[in-house]
Amino acid sequence: DTLPSFTSPYNCKNWEIIQDFDTVYFSVNPYYNNIFVQYFVEKGNGVYEEFKWETLYPYPDCGVSFNGRFPYLLTNSSTERPLEGTIKYAMTSTGFNQLFSIKRLKLRIYVYDRSLNRSNVIETPPFVLSDIKK
């Protein structure tokens, strides 16, 4: 009674194992990733619209995302001290040039800590892919 109703066709979140006629259901942990990245594309006159990666695939929420995880930064959980430093996070794709070419982009980024506290949100200045130094 707590499962969502069965829908067809099957997709990455709704599929069936035919052996013994068992059905498997899973739900995605929204905190599996702890770094979240939103892409925004300029539509003209400095107006930006969020680029939704899931629209590239026939099933919602089954496609690519550039959200990710970074590892525990302290190995001793009894240490209660703030951390300072720089985290480098690479997002690579052979499709970036095809999708964005010379379009102006912005990124919005935030992270969650181990206690699921959301950080401040940062937003990059506008850029084009050719501005990125490798």
Side-chain angles (χ1 to χ4, degrees):
D1 65 338
T2 59
L3 294 176
S5 59
F6 178 79
T7 58
S8 187
Y10 307 118
N11 61 43
C12 68
K13 290 189 175 181
N14 183 20
W15 47 278
E16 181 179 359
I17 297 175
I18 303 299
Q19 264 180 337
D20 299 327
F21 303 100
D22 287 337
T23 300
V24 176
Y25 174 81
F26 76 95
S27 60
V28 176
N29 177 352
Y31 299 104
Y32 172 77
N33 292 310
N34 54 14
I35 182 168
F36 292 84
V37 181
Q38 296 171 283
Y39 282 70
F40 293 86
V41 180
E42 185 178 30
K43 294 299 176 185
N45 297 328
V47 175
Y48 286 80
E49 180 178 273
E50 185 174 3
F51 182 82
K52 300 278 192 176
W53 290 100
E54 62 270 14
T55 62
L56 298 177
Y57 298 92
Y59 302 112
D61 301 321
C62 294
V64 170
S65 115
F66 287 95
N67 301 331
R69 291 186 62 81
F70 53 86
Y72 288 142
L73 301 176
L74 289 175
T75 56
N76 182 351
S77 62
S78 66
T79 305
E80 297 289 335
R81 62 184 175 94
L83 294 176
E84 291 185 27
T86 301
I87 295 174
K88 292 185 179 185
Y89 180 68
M91 296 174 287
T92 58
S93 173
T94 56
F96 281 158
N97 282 330
Q98 295 165 338
L99 285 170
F100 303 124
S101 183
I102 59 172
K103 295 176 183 174
R104 294 176 62 78
L105 305 170
K106 290 195 299 187
L107 301 178
R108 188 174 292 158
I109 304 162
Y110 57 94
V111 300
Y112 281 93
D113 66 15
R114 289 187 205 175
S115 298
L116 302 181
N117 297 307
R118 184 174 162 171
S119 71
N120 294 333
V121 177
I122 63 153
E123 189 169 288
T124 67
F127 66 93
V128 293
L129 293 176
S130 61
D131 291 341
I132 300 172
K133 296 180 181 166
K134 297 179 183 181

